[in-house]
Amino acid sequence: MRKILFFLLFISCALTVGAQSDTITQKLLTFVSNVRAFNHLYPQEKVYLHFDNKGYYVGETMWFQAYVVAGATLAPTAQSAVLYVDLVSAEGEVVETKKLKVENGRAAGDFLLKNNFYAGFYEVRAYTRCMLNFDNAGIYSRVFPVYNKPRVEGNYVNKKMTLRDRKQSTEVTRQDALKLSALNVTFYPEGGNLIRGVENRVAFKACDSRGQSVSMSGTLYNAQGEFVATLSTIHDGMGFFDVTPDIGSYTAKINYEGKMHNFHLPKVQISGYALRIDNLNSQNLRVRILKSPDMVKNKVGVMLMVRGEPRWFEVCEVGDKGQATFVIPKQDLPTGVAQVTLFSAEGEAYAERLLFVNSKDYVQLKPMVHTSFEPFKPINISFHLADPHGSPIKTPFSLSVYDAETVVPTGHSSSIMTSLLLTSDIKGYVENPDFYFEADDRLHRQALDLLMMVQGWSRYEWKTLAGVKPFKVKHWIEEGLLVDGAVLSDVRKKPMGGVELNMWLSSPDYLSQRGTCITDESGRFNFLLEPFWGVSSLNLMSKQKGKTVRSSITLDRDFEVAPRPYLTYETDFSWAMKNTSGVKVDVDTSDNPPYAVNTDKDSVSREYRMAEVTITDKNKWLAPRAQYATISYDIKKEIDKIRDKGGREQGNFLDFMSSMNFLTCKEERIDVVSDGMYLGATYKAMCTYKGRPVRFVVNNTLNNGPDFQPSVNEATEDWSESVNQVYVIDELLAEDVERVMIDEEGRSCYRCEQNTVVIYVYTNKNGRRRIEQKGIRSTTFQGYSKPAEFYSPSYRGYVLPGDKDFRRTLYWNPNVVPDSLGHAVVHFDNNGTCEKIVISAESITDSGLPIWSEGDVQ
C-alpha cells in the first residue's frame, strides 16, 4: 500500500505545482495519465516455464509448469485463462501445440519427444493470446538440445545429435543466426544519443563470433586523430567511458588477438538532452539531466516507470547551468527493470535509459535432503517457505529432481526470478543472470547497470504507452475457450452485420454446446465455451430472416507467430562444457535416414519425416515407401486455414496444390492413336515441383493418367480394402484428399529420371467429404490439452529391477503444496546409478514474489 500511496501523493503535489504554472505542465502530466490509462486498458502479461530438465534425448518426455503473471505486479494473472505452448523445430515449423487451462496463473503440460522425432535444437515458446498485441520479443522462448536416443540404454556419456541436412529438410522458415566477425563492439550512449558539448557516458559491449563476451581494451580517437579516452571491459565484455564530443567522427582502435580492429561511435547530435544516472548507491537513485548549450530553456517531463507502471514524475526546467538533478528513494520502488524517460510537451522522447532496482522482492528456498544416495533407496527432501519477513508461504511450487551426472549442458541459466524480474523486460542474451543477484554490493550493481545500458530494447515502448503512437488491438483477452471470427459476404468478402449465427459443438466426452449471437457492424462474433478437453466437432450456420444466407465464416485461431532466429549461444554451447564429455553433432546425408512421417492424427498439418514406421492394421494405408517423405500435409487442415482467413480454395486438387505454391501445372495435349488410327486428343496435367519433375503415387499406386495400368512392382500397399474408387490425379478434387506426403529427394521413386520428386496422395477412406453449403461452416475446434501424469516408481517391498532404471528425472511434481507453516516434504525412490542430484524448485506468490531454488546435492 505504501508504494501506491507514494505515487498518488506525488501526482497530487505535481498537479498543484502545475496549477501555478502554464499549460506546458498540464500537457506533460497528460502523458503520465495516458501511461496509466494504457496499462489499465491493455495490461500486459508475462509467461515463465519451469522444466524438469535442462536438455533431453529422443524418446523422453519434456515436463513443464507454466506461470502466467501480470506484467506490472508479477501476481498470478487474473485475465487470460488459455495458454498456448508450442514445440517448434529448428526449421521453424510448429511440431505440436498445447492449449492449456490457466488456473490461478498456473498450468502444467508436457511434450513427448517421440521415438520418431529427429534430434536437433527445439524451441519451446509460450504465450497468451493478448500477448500477441505486443512485440514478439516478449513471448517466452527457450531452446533445448535434443540428442539421439542412446544406442545403449542408460549411456548418457557420449551424446550424439544427428541433424537433418538442409537439402533434405522441409520449408525453412527460421532465419539463420547473424554471422558475426571475430570481434564485435557496439556502443550505447547513455540516454540514446551523443550530444555535442555535453559530457556523455558511453557503454559498450564486446563479443566474439559466437556472441560470447570477451575481455578487451583499446583507445578512442577523434576525427583529428587525437587521443580522447581509454576503453577497458569491466564485466562480461561490458565497459564504459566518458566523453564530451564535438562535431566529427570518433573511432575506437582495439588490438584483439594480434589484430587491430576499428569501430566507429554513433553520429554526434548537434543539440539535445542527455541523461546521467547514478544507480550505485544502495539507498537512492540519482538522476541528472543535461542539455546542450544551444537548447532553448523549456519545461520537460521526466518519468520513472518500473515494469511499465509510473512510479515517479517531475516537471523539469534545465537552467543556465545546463543541468538539473533529482534524488529518488529506492525503498519506494519495487524490484525490476526501470525506465527513465525525458519527454517534451509534444510527447517526443528526448532521452531514455534503462536501470535496475533491486529491492530484494524474491524468496530463495533452501531444501534439506535426507538420503545416502543408494541405488533404489528412498530419497526424502523437506522445504520451508518463508517470505523476507519470516512469515510462512503457503504457495504451491513446482519441483524437479534430476540426476546430476546426466545433465545436458546448455547455454541457458535463467530462473523464474531472473526471468520475471530481469530478462523478460530486456532483449538479447544475458550471460549468467544469476550473477547479478549474488550480492547487492557496488561491484554487482555496477555490472547490472552496465547490462541495462547495453540493452537496446524495452518491453514497454514510451510512444505507445503515452498515446503518441496509435495502438491497435488485434487479440483480446481469452477468459476461456473462445470461438471468434467474422461473417463475410460470399463473393466480395465484406463484413455482414446483423447476421444471426448459430453454433453447435460436440466434444469427445459426448457433451454438446450450443449458442446463438448476432454479428456486429464489422461482422464479428464470439462464443465463450464451457471448458472441455480434446478436439470437438464445430458447426456454424449464418441466417437472416430465419433462412440460411450465403456467406463466408472466418475464424481467428491461426496466430502465425513468426519463428525467431536462434542466437549463437543457443546452438553452440561448447564453452559451457568444460567439465563434461563432448557432443558429437552429425548431419544426416545417408540414403536410409532413420525417420519417417509422423502419423499422429492430432499432430499439426505440416509434419516432419521422423523415425521408423510400423505398419499396423489401423494404419495399413501408410506406405512403406512414404517413410522417405520430407514433409506431410493434412489437406483438411490446410483447407481450414484458407477458410479461416476468408479465402476460397481451389476445387481441383492440382489447382489447390498450385495455389499453395507447391506445384506448377499446365495442361499438355496428348494425341491418342491405336493401330495407326487417330482416335482424338486428350489433355493431361504436367506438373513440376520447385522446377523438378513430379511422379504422383495415389493410394500407394503409381498414377500417370487415365490410361495408366499399374504393375505389381509399382504397387507398394493394397489400398482397395478401404477405398474402392480408382482415382486419376487430374480428376481429383481437394475435398477427395486426406493427406499428401512429398519425397523431395525422390529416393522412394521406382525407375525415375534423375531429380524426380515423388508426391504421395491419400484420399479419404470414407469417400469424398461433404461439400459445405454456403453459409454453413463445419470444422473442428481444439479444447484444452490434458497433461500426462509423471510416473515415479516405488521399490519399497517390490523386486528390484537390477540396474535397468536409468531415469534422468527422478521426480517431477508441478504442484507441491506446503502446509500452514510453509513446510513441505516429498518422497521418491532413487534410480540404479544416481549419486548426486540437482534440485530445482520454482513458483510465484499471490503478491508476485518469485520463489526459486536450484543446486547440486550429493
Side-chain angles (χ1 to χ4, degrees):
M1 178 63 73
R2 183 177 65 176
K3 296 174 182 175
I4 298 175
L5 285 175
F6 170 78
F7 176 72
L8 294 179
L9 288 173
F10 190 92
I11 290 298
S12 177
C13 294
L15 286 171
T16 302
V17 172
Q20 300 171 0
S21 182
D22 52 57
T23 57
I24 293 180
T25 299
Q26 296 295 338
K27 290 181 179 180
L28 294 171
L29 283 167
T30 298
F31 291 114
V32 180
S33 300
N34 289 349
V35 172
R36 298 183 66 203
F38 182 92
N39 289 329
H40 176 73
L41 293 173
Y42 313 113
Q44 296 196 42
E45 293 177 317
K46 293 183 180 181
V47 176
Y48 174 79
L49 266 55
H50 179 206
F51 293 89
D52 72 297
N53 220 304
K54 292 187 174 182
Y56 298 90
Y57 292 81
V58 170
E60 292 184 329
T61 297
M62 177 187 292
W63 305 90
F64 61 87
Q65 170 74 358
Y67 295 92
V68 188
V69 301
T73 65
L74 302 186
T77 185
Q79 300 168 181
S80 297
V82 184
L83 178 70
Y84 300 88
V85 185
D86 297 335
L87 180 65
V88 190
S89 74
E91 287 86 357
E93 290 289 338
V94 177
V95 178
E96 187 177 1
T97 295
K98 296 290 186 180
K99 197 174 184 179
L100 302 178
K101 189 175 191 296
V102 179
E103 297 180 285
N104 194 31
R106 301 161 61 94
D110 60 276
F111 287 114
L112 174 60
L113 304 173
K114 302 176 185 178
N115 287 328
N116 58 2
F117 273 31
Y118 227 101
F121 295 97
Y122 287 78
E123 177 191 9
V124 177
R125 64 188 184 200
Y127 51 90
T128 61
R129 187 167 172 181
C130 66
M131 288 173 65
L132 301 179
N133 289 311
F134 305 93
D135 194 315
N136 282 354
I139 291 176
Y140 177 86
S141 174
R142 180 171 171 180
V143 176
F144 287 92
V146 177
Y147 294 101
N148 293 4
K149 190 173 184 177
R151 291 183 178 273
V152 178
E153 187 180 11
N155 180 8
Y156 300 112
V157 176
N158 298 318
K159 303 173 183 65
K160 185 176 181 181
M161 184 184 291
T162 304
L163 303 178
R164 184 200 313 267
D165 189 357
R166 277 293 177 94
K167 71 178 183 180
Q168 301 170 356
S169 69
T170 65
E171 307 158 276
V172 178
T173 58
R174 189 188 302 280
Q175 296 178 358
D176 291 332
L178 294 176
K179 294 183 179 180
L180 301 176
S181 303
L183 177 66
N184 307 271
V185 182
T186 310
F187 298 93
Y188 303 90
E190 188 171 13
N193 295 303
L194 281 175
I195 307 299
R196 184 185 66 167
V198 174
E199 185 182 45
N200 290 248
R201 174 158 291 173
V202 180
F204 60 87
K205 172 71 174 181
C207 64
D208 61 16
S209 60
R210 297 179 301 173
Q212 298 302 312
S213 63
V214 296
S215 298
M216 64 84 183
S217 60
T219 308
L220 182 69
Y221 298 92
N222 61 19
Q224 291 72 40
E226 299 170 335
F227 168 83
V228 176
T230 58
L231 293 71
S232 182
T233 53
I234 297 174
H235 175 76
D236 278 350
M238 298 179 293
F240 72 92
F241 57 88
D242 293 331
V243 60
T244 302
D246 201 346
I247 294 299
S249 61
Y250 287 79
T251 303
K253 296 182 178 296
I254 299 169
N255 192 322
Y256 179 71
E257 295 185 343
K259 184 178 180 180
M260 184 61 68
H261 299 262
N262 293 337
F263 297 94
H264 298 288
L265 267 63
K267 184 179 179 181
V268 178
Q269 303 297 312
I270 297 177
S271 61
Y273 288 91
L275 282 174
R276 289 297 298 269
I277 294 181
D278 180 2
N279 193 24
L280 300 185
N281 185 281
S282 62
Q283 303 299 320
N284 296 308
L285 178 69
R286 186 182 180 89
V287 178
R288 291 173 59 203
I289 301 171
L290 305 94
K291 73 177 180 67
S292 58
D294 62 319
M295 284 289 290
V296 177
K297 184 178 179 180
N298 203 350
K299 290 184 178 180
V300 294
V302 55
M303 181 170 64
L304 182 145
M305 300 183 292
V306 180
R307 296 196 291 268
E309 284 289 336
R311 296 287 178 173
W312 179 89
F313 170 76
E314 182 61 274
V315 175
C316 170
E317 188 171 9
V318 182
D320 295 335
K321 294 183 179 181
Q323 63 176 296
T325 303
F326 303 94
V327 177
I328 306 172
K330 289 186 178 181
Q331 64 180 2
D332 296 306
L333 302 174
T335 298
V337 175
Q339 186 172 334
V340 174
T341 304
L342 183 70
F343 58 96
S344 69
E346 289 72 37
E348 178 186 357
Y350 288 134
E352 202 163 44
R353 161 83 141 86
L354 297 184
L355 56 104
F356 191 87
V357 179
N358 191 353
S359 300
K360 302 179 180 62
D361 298 339
Y362 41 84
V363 178
Q364 185 169 9
L365 288 179
K366 294 183 179 180
M368 296 292 292
V369 180
H370 313 278
T371 183
S372 58
F373 290 108
E374 297 181 32
F376 312 113
K377 294 297 184 180
I379 297 176
N380 303 318
I381 306 176
S382 59
F383 297 87
H384 179 235
L385 283 74
D387 64 19
H389 305 290
S391 301
I393 294 176
K394 306 172 188 178
T395 304
F397 61 94
S398 51
L399 173 64
S400 173
V401 182
Y402 50 93
D403 189 340
E405 297 300 326
T406 65
V407 172
V408 174
T410 69
H412 181 89
S413 61
S414 184
S415 66
I416 190 171
M417 188 264 294
T418 57
S419 175
L420 294 183
L421 295 179
L422 176 62
T423 58
S424 61
D425 282 339
I426 57 179
K427 190 175 184 178
Y429 171 53
V430 178
E431 294 182 49
N432 190 20
D434 291 335
F435 166 82
Y436 301 104
F437 296 89
E438 290 177 352
D440 189 25
D441 54 24
R442 190 176 181 86
L443 172 65
H444 288 77
R445 285 196 294 271
Q446 184 183 58
L448 186 51
D449 201 47
L450 280 172
L451 178 69
M452 293 295 98
M453 292 181 68
V454 303
Q455 296 297 329
W457 175 88
S458 170
R459 172 189 291 267
Y460 304 96
E461 184 188 20
W462 159 255
K463 286 188 176 181
T464 301
L465 293 176
V468 179
K469 178 182 177 180
F471 181 72
K472 183 177 181 181
V473 177
K474 297 180 180 179
H475 303 277
W476 295 103
I477 296 170
E478 285 186 312
E479 299 177 359
L481 296 174
L482 186 67
V483 176
D484 64 326
V487 178
L488 308 176
S489 59
D490 182 38
V491 179
R492 302 184 67 182
K493 305 299 180 184
K494 291 197 171 183
M496 297 180 66
V499 172
E500 176 187 317
L501 194 71
N502 297 321
M503 180 276 299
W504 60 101
L505 180 140
S506 300
S507 60
D509 51 8
Y510 303 105
L511 295 177
S512 62
Q513 301 186 48
R514 293 176 178 268
T516 300
C517 79
I518 306 298
T519 60
D520 64 14
E521 59 183 10
S522 299
R524 304 289 306 174
F525 66 86
N526 66 75
F527 298 94
L528 185 61
L529 305 176
E530 292 295 323
F532 72 92
W533 282 259
V535 180
S536 291
S537 172
L538 174 65
N539 295 278
L540 299 163
M541 176 185 293
S542 57
K543 288 186 175 182
Q544 282 183 329
K545 298 180 180 180
K547 295 183 179 180
T548 304
V549 60
R550 292 177 64 88
S551 66
S552 174
I553 303 174
T554 69
L555 291 172
D556 295 339
R557 56 179 174 178
D558 187 3
F559 303 139
E560 296 184 345
V561 179
R564 64 173 179 83
Y566 283 163
L567 301 175
T568 304
Y569 85 94
E570 293 175 308
T571 56
D572 178 12
F573 39 81
S574 54
W575 56 272
M577 301 173 57
K578 296 177 182 177
N579 299 318
T580 61
S581 59
V583 176
K584 185 178 181 182
V585 178
D586 291 341
V587 176
D588 190 1
T589 57
S590 63
D591 290 334
N592 297 294
Y595 44 72
V597 176
N598 180 359
T599 60
D600 186 350
K601 292 182 180 180
D602 295 329
S603 60
V604 296
S605 58
R606 299 183 182 183
E607 300 162 340
Y608 289 93
R609 56 181 178 186
M610 303 296 182
E612 57 195 52
V613 174
T614 302
I615 304 299
T616 65
D617 290 337
K618 292 182 179 179
N619 287 327
K620 199 168 184 178
W621 57 275
L622 180 61
R625 290 189 180 186
Q627 68 182 10
Y628 296 101
T630 306
I631 192 170
S632 173
Y633 293 94
D634 183 322
I635 299 302
K636 179 64 169 68
K637 290 183 179 179
E638 295 295 335
I639 292 175
D640 266 340
K641 287 181 181 179
I642 295 173
R643 292 175 177 172
D644 283 351
K645 297 178 181 179
R648 187 185 302 276
E649 72 275 8
Q650 297 289 334
N652 180 272
F653 170 70
L654 292 181
D655 291 339
F656 174 78
M657 294 295 287
S658 298
S659 68
M660 296 173 65
N661 299 319
F662 301 131
L663 289 178
T664 300
C665 297
K666 62 180 180 180
E667 285 191 343
E668 181 177 287
R669 172 173 170 155
I670 299 176
D671 293 324
V672 180
V673 179
S674 178
D675 295 331
M677 296 183 60
Y678 176 73
L679 301 180
T682 186
Y683 291 87
K684 178 180 178 181
M686 302 299 293
C687 300
T688 58
Y689 177 90
K690 296 181 180 179
R692 296 159 59 187
V694 171
R695 176 171 289 189
F696 290 99
V697 178
V698 181
N699 297 340
N700 299 331
T701 300
L702 189 64
N703 189 295
N704 281 336
D707 58 339
F708 177 76
Q709 297 295 326
S711 67
V712 176
N713 290 333
E714 297 291 354
T716 58
E717 186 77 23
D718 184 8
W719 182 261
S720 60
E721 292 182 7
S722 56
V723 177
N724 295 321
Q725 183 175 355
V726 176
Y727 289 96
V728 176
I729 195 68
D730 304 60
E731 301 172 359
L732 273 176
L733 299 180
E735 293 284 351
D736 294 326
V737 179
E738 177 178 314
R739 186 177 297 274
V740 171
M741 303 181 193
I742 302 175
D743 172 14
E744 290 186 321
E745 296 301 303
R747 284 176 290 183
S748 62
C749 198
Y750 180 79
R751 295 177 182 173
C752 290
E753 62 181 288
Q754 188 177 7
N755 215 27
T756 297
V757 175
V758 183
I759 299 181
Y760 292 90
V761 180
Y762 295 99
T763 58
N764 302 306
K765 300 183 186 68
N766 299 321
R768 178 171 296 172
R769 287 190 294 268
R770 184 180 63 184
I771 299 178
E772 296 177 354
Q773 302 177 30
K774 294 299 180 182
I776 298 178
R777 181 79 193 274
S778 297
T779 182
T780 58
F781 187 80
Q782 175 68 53
Y784 291 121
S785 304
K786 185 169 292 187
E789 184 176 350
F790 181 84
Y791 172 69
S792 182
S794 174
Y795 298 124
R796 280 159 270 191
Y798 294 90
V799 178
L800 298 181
D803 59 353
K804 294 186 178 181
D805 184 352
F806 301 112
R807 286 172 296 141
R808 295 195 313 117
T809 298
L810 304 177
Y811 183 81
W812 166 255
N813 188 343
N815 195 46
V816 179
V817 183
D819 62 19
S820 59
L821 299 178
H823 295 290
V825 180
V826 298
H827 312 275
F828 56 93
D829 287 350
N830 195 9
N831 64 16
T833 59
C834 178
E835 297 178 350
K836 182 169 70 172
I837 61 174
V838 178
I839 300 174
S840 177
E842 295 185 321
S843 188
I844 192 87
T845 68
D846 290 342
S847 61
L849 290 178
I851 301 172
W852 98 104
S853 174
E854 182 165 344
D856 299 347
V857 178
Q858 60 182 349

